[in-house]
Amino acid sequence: MEPGPPGGSRPAERGPCLSSPLGADLAASASLLSAAGAEAGRRPLAVAAVLPAGGCGERMGVPTPKQFCPILERPLISYTLQALERVCWIKDIVVAVTGENIEAMNSIIQKYQHTRISVVEAGVTRHRSIFNGLKALVEDQPNSKLCKPEIVIIHDAVRPFVEEDVLLKVVIAAKEHGCSDYDLEFGTECLQLALKYCHTKAKLVEGSPDLWKVTYKRDLYAAESIIKERISQEICVITDVKEGEENVGHLLKEVLKSELPHVKVTSGALCHARGDLQQIILKQCYNFVCVNVMTSDFQETQKLLSVLEESNLSILYPVVVVSVHFFDVKLVPLGQKMENLMSIRGFAKEVRKRNILLCGLLICYPQGEQKLQESLRQAAIIIAALIEERNSGLVGQLLIA
Amino acid sequence: MEPGPPGGSRPAERGPCLSSPLGADLAASASLLSAAGAEAGRRPLAVAAVLPAGGCGERMGVPTPKQFCPILERPLISYTLQALERVCWIKDIVVAVTGENIEAMNSIIQKYQHTRISVVEAGVTRHRSIFNGLKALVEDQPNSKLCKPEIVIIHDAVRPFVEEDVLLKVVIAAKEHGCSDYDLEFGTECLQLALKYCHTKAKLVEGSPDLWKVTYKRDLYAAESIIKERISQEICVITDVKEGEENVGHLLKEVLKSELPHVKVTSGALCHARGDLQQIILKQCYNFVCVNVMTSDFQETQKLLSVLEESNLSILYPVVVVSVHFFDVKLVPLGQKMENLMSIRGFAKEVRKRNILLCGLLICYPQGEQKLQESLRQAAIIIAALIEERNSGLVGQLLIA
């Protein structure tokens, strides 16, 4: 699978930097670390991160080291890099992997378009890997693009759900307590080592339950479910009729809202407001329901697919597109309508290569108010199933509500 | 959802008692606890279990207490009861729940046909709940069916994956080390309490990684994935042609074997060996692919569904049935064939009430050797997706390979 073209770049992330749900105190501290703080006349604190990723994952019970195990077809370590990349005040991220994995690591960085990442060879132990990472940050190499940091965060490659607030607390603690830069850890084990051997004041920073480590196979399952849940929080309904006009696309949107109360349902139209859609894509919506009412067959869906392909939204996560069609059994036999829509199989196969999961959904219409509502409710259940599962085995199928 | 009729009983479980993959030493110890040991002239040791289940699950971040959170629509505590019930030498299982949950707990016991379970009211703390459970076991109530136990296992209601071998080790340790019967625990916290206050020799018994506790929401996700994986290890292919005859059902079976190497693919035929199928059901296979070659439409699938309904196999887990049909585009137009098969929606709706998830799968045939193989491979991918996801939102759909 090649989710993105080598040339394109993925849309900017909903990065928390400064604007995010950090508390006021933390936001103020974050500003000291970022360019914004620097512009106010203060030199921003130079922060880097080192990720030891040389482990073999023996407790996982699978042959692949856990940091390279795929979640939605993307290696776990890429999720961890993504979490650190979103924090704009971390200038450099150094990953230490075993010699045999350096090439694979570089491919991951290229494929998922990670930035600010350097790869070094891991040592025989975790601590030696950290040492190698630190060495790369402080050595005066003539061609090195790395900045010499004042604070280095050591972060496990298998803790993908780290948030900016925790990292910030760690940096603040390091600044205030003068911990040595390579002892700061999210566990107590390293804290005890630091206290025992390093003649330094170490401080344990409270993490959040999200900061758990992927250790066992069950943790991979949990991580996959959490990621699937996170990217299923918003559905964008695209219709080929004008916003505000009463139509069946609008009805479907309302039913989606009431049947899936935990999901944010937004809408857009391609015909007159392509800019809107770009905004939605920029806000990282990974689920689209494309309602073809006015236009025949897949005209609207094809437009949406080409916008999505251009956007590179699907580089990090599989994007689900449900192409919705309506039919009236009194006008066209169901079998004929289904046969007409079979071309979805070809489109689906094509966009699958770009990490877009396309399915069709045929909704019976009209059959009287009550029956239509029942069809739409059924449609909402099917849409929810497709989005929640995000299973590539079902692409190109034409489902019926 | 009412998975089973009130009258019927679910098939016996693949219970480990004695015959299972326990080591020789453990198997010998187990025989001392069971009726088999008793028959050899020794009195079996009376073992009971108490499950404190009065917690409110505040760390879970969901309103339902975690022991009642649903996994595949069944409450977590039912999985834990199931794990203990499978161990034949545990005579009685006492569950302590808060007063407001007693009725719900009794419904769970009835709905999922648990046996050897008594319900008592929980105390204000975990230790008081355990005390109430113990009291119920030792009190001389005139109508009590409970046996006075010599050893009591205290087991968290939210550790659903406990295996017989660990329980047996606990019992052996209790016997040898004379621990007081209510201090034996799978954690170190209670062990320390026991050592400190109870003037008893306590011993920490090594658990397995499977013995983890469902604490956070992510643990529920992990538990669901583990359970789904466990019940997806076997697929039974039912055909309406004689075993051994070369036919497309046989081809599909071979492709399933090669495409899904981690799954055990068995087969059976309803027409001449209904007994075979009963054996497969008794061995707890939860996935069926029913190939309709000779008979028209759903004749074979309907036979299978009625066997499954009679068996009550679906009381504990949703059973997936994929009804497979073949068509030759040269003979019948695809649309017409699809329309013919639309009656699957009605069947699916009906058996859904009994926790059977029915989908249809239409396979193009014949189109030359290579194309047929491609269709069959596609079919295997779709079957795998339906079995892995076990999503009730997709029942009644007709998929195409």
Side-chain angles (χ1 to χ4, degrees), chain A residues 43-64:
Chain A
R43 187 178 61 85
L45 204 63
V47 180
V50 170
L51 277 75
C56 62
E58 56 191 31
R59 273 176 297 185
M60 186 68 85
V62 291
T64 312

Side-chain angles (χ1 to χ4, degrees), chain A residues 221 229 389 391 397 400, chain B residues 209 221 229 389 391 397 400:
Chain A
Y221 290 143
E229 193 188 42
E389 305 297 6
N391 192 315
Q397 295 299 330
I400 302 182
Chain B
Y221 290 144
E229 192 188 42
E389 306 296 5
N391 192 315
Q397 295 298 331
I400 302 182

Side-chain angles (χ1 to χ4, degrees), chain B residues 7 22-23 31 44 61 66 110 118 125 154 193 248 262 332 352 358 366:
Chain B
L22 294 174
S31 80
K66 56 192 171 182
Q110 198 188 351
S118 305
T125 65
I154 310 298
L193 275 180
V248 72
H262 57 288
V332 189
R352 172 75 186 89
L358 173 66

Side-chain angles (χ1 to χ4, degrees), chain A residues 261-282:
Chain A
H262 57 286
V263 175
K264 184 179 163 197
V265 182
T266 55
S267 63
L270 287 168
C271 50
H272 61 107
R274 203 154 156 158
D276 276 7
L277 187 65
Q278 295 291 359
Q279 279 305 312
I280 288 162
I281 288 171
L282 283 174

